[in-house]
Structure formats: C-alpha cells, structure tokens
Amino acid sequence: MEKIKGVIVSGALRPDDRLPRENELAAGLGLSRNSLREAVGALSLIRITNVRRGDGTYVTSLAPSLLLKAPSFVVDFQRDDTALEFLAVRRILEPAAPAARIGEERLDTLAAQLDKLGDDPSVEDCVACDLEFHRGIVESAGNPVLCALLDGLSGPTTRARIRRGLTRENAVSRTLHEHRASLAALRERDAEAPRSWATVHLASVERWLRSGR
C-alpha cells in the first residue's frame, strides 16, 4: 500500500489514471502479484483506487468528499457517549466557515426548507432539516475539505440531537428559532452573527449531554 501510495503522491499516477497491468506494476514495485492484489483491494476500501471489472484499476478522483468518507464510516461506530468529543470538534470547525459568502439562491433554498418544515415538526424531521441547514451554510464557504469533515462528524451528534429532541422540552422550537435567527443574520450579511448562532446551537446540545439527561 505504501509503495502504491508513493507512486500516486509522486505524481507518476494522477487522479483518474489507469494503473499499469498487474504483472508490470508488481514487477516495477518489487511485489508479488498476490501482495499487489491485496494492497489494491485495501486501497479501494478507502477510495484511493477503483477496480472496474473488465477494464482495470484506476486512481479515483482523490476528491476530499470521496476520501473523507472512510473516516466517517469509522465515526458511525463510535458510541453515543463519545458525542461530546465530536461536538467539541464541530464547535471549532463549523463557526469557522465564512458564511458571509452564501448566495441569495442558497438562502432562498434554506428558507424554503424551514418553511416546509412548519412550526411543529417531528424530532426526526427537525434533525434532518438541521443537518441540511448546517451543510448548506458550510458548502457556501467553498471548502470541500471542511464540508467533508463536518459531514463525517455528524453521525454521533445526530443521534444525540434526536435524543435531545425527544427528552428536552422545547428543543425543537428552540432549534427552529436559532435557524431562523441565523438565516436573518445571513440575509443582512452580518459576518459574525451566524458564527455566534452556530456556536450557541452546538453548545446547547453539549450542555444537555453534560447534564446527563
């Protein structure tokens, strides 16, 4: 795996390039064909390579949204009691997104999502909308690495938010209020208020988790 990685990192193989034939690559890297096969299979699991049956093996696009799916797969196995750690990371990353870049079309989409949700949605619908709302803001920053990282961290925090909505009074209405306030600030091109609302929103979930409820 390290040898194949070295070839890609060196630029000898670039994104979307087809790997040489198995016997040629194995000889060039000083590997047995069985070892090469196992390495390529392992790299496929973490989306470095893509085996196309009947066509060969290719380097993937190596896009952050693709490569960072592997950590998100592992994150989903974390226990709910680790959600605090994930929330702490989200509190650092999410408010850092330059939300002031968001366009009017995206703002209209976010507003329509909130309107469609109504004033008394189910907890599950509210959390699903919450994820799309935050993702829409982060995507507007134009940083695919940040967006992919936050997507990967959402699993444990999503479960925590659903539990919070089921057990904490006014959790859903509070979430809707925070989203609408954040949207209004974005409309006014206030650079700081959306960051503050993102911090407040995540901090309220964190406080609930720390309370042991």
Side-chain angles (χ1 to χ4, degrees):
M1 288 175 69
E2 287 294 331
K3 287 186 176 183
I4 298 172
K5 173 185 170 184
V7 175
I8 296 172
V9 170
S10 71
L13 282 173
R14 301 181 63 80
D16 300 317
D17 279 355
R18 187 181 186 279
L19 271 64
R21 293 181 181 275
E22 187 179 88
N23 59 340
E24 296 173 5
L25 186 58
L29 296 177
L31 300 170
S32 70
R33 292 176 71 173
N34 282 340
S35 292
L36 178 64
R37 253 184 238 119
E38 290 182 10
V40 168
L43 289 170
S44 294
L45 290 175
I46 56 175
R47 297 171 170 83
I48 303 295
T49 59
N50 178 28
V51 181
R52 303 179 189 173
R53 294 196 176 190
D55 189 16
T57 300
Y58 288 77
V59 180
T60 66
S61 66
L62 303 180
S65 59
L66 182 68
L67 297 185
L68 290 172
K69 284 183 180 178
S72 69
F73 179 81
V74 175
V75 164
D76 282 338
F77 285 96
Q78 300 302 302
R79 301 182 308 275
D80 286 353
D81 58 8
T82 62
L84 276 170
E85 284 79 8
F86 289 105
L87 279 167
V89 176
R90 288 197 68 194
R91 273 220 287 164
I92 295 169
L93 293 177
E94 195 163 317
R101 294 182 186 175
I102 194 166
E104 289 296 327
E105 185 176 347
R106 179 61 62 89
L107 289 173
D108 290 341
T109 299
L110 295 177
Q113 288 173 347
L114 289 176
D115 290 342
K116 184 179 178 181
L117 200 60
D119 294 325
D120 189 26
S122 68
V123 172
E124 290 78 6
D125 286 346
C126 181
V127 171
C129 181
D130 179 75
L131 290 172
E132 286 300 313
F133 187 86
H134 286 270
R135 194 177 198 281
I137 294 173
V138 172
E139 277 184 338
S140 69
N143 187 328
V145 174
L146 180 60
C147 193
L149 283 172
L150 288 169
D151 273 351
L153 293 169
S154 67
T157 57
T158 298
R159 292 192 294 271
R161 278 186 272 175
I162 290 175
R163 285 208 322 277
R164 171 179 176 253
L166 291 171
T167 61
R168 185 173 178 179
E169 187 178 0
N170 298 324
V172 170
S173 60
R174 182 186 179 108
T175 295
L176 294 175
H177 169 71
E178 291 166 355
H179 285 176
R180 288 180 177 126
S182 181
L183 185 60
L186 289 167
R187 291 255 189 220
E188 294 169 5
R189 299 300 168 185
D190 186 331
E192 295 303 320
R195 294 190 181 100
S196 299
W197 278 115
T199 301
V200 166
H201 181 60
L202 292 169
S204 65
V205 181
E206 189 174 335
R207 283 196 304 273
W208 172 79
L209 285 173
R210 289 190 186 282
S211 73
R213 292 188 59 183

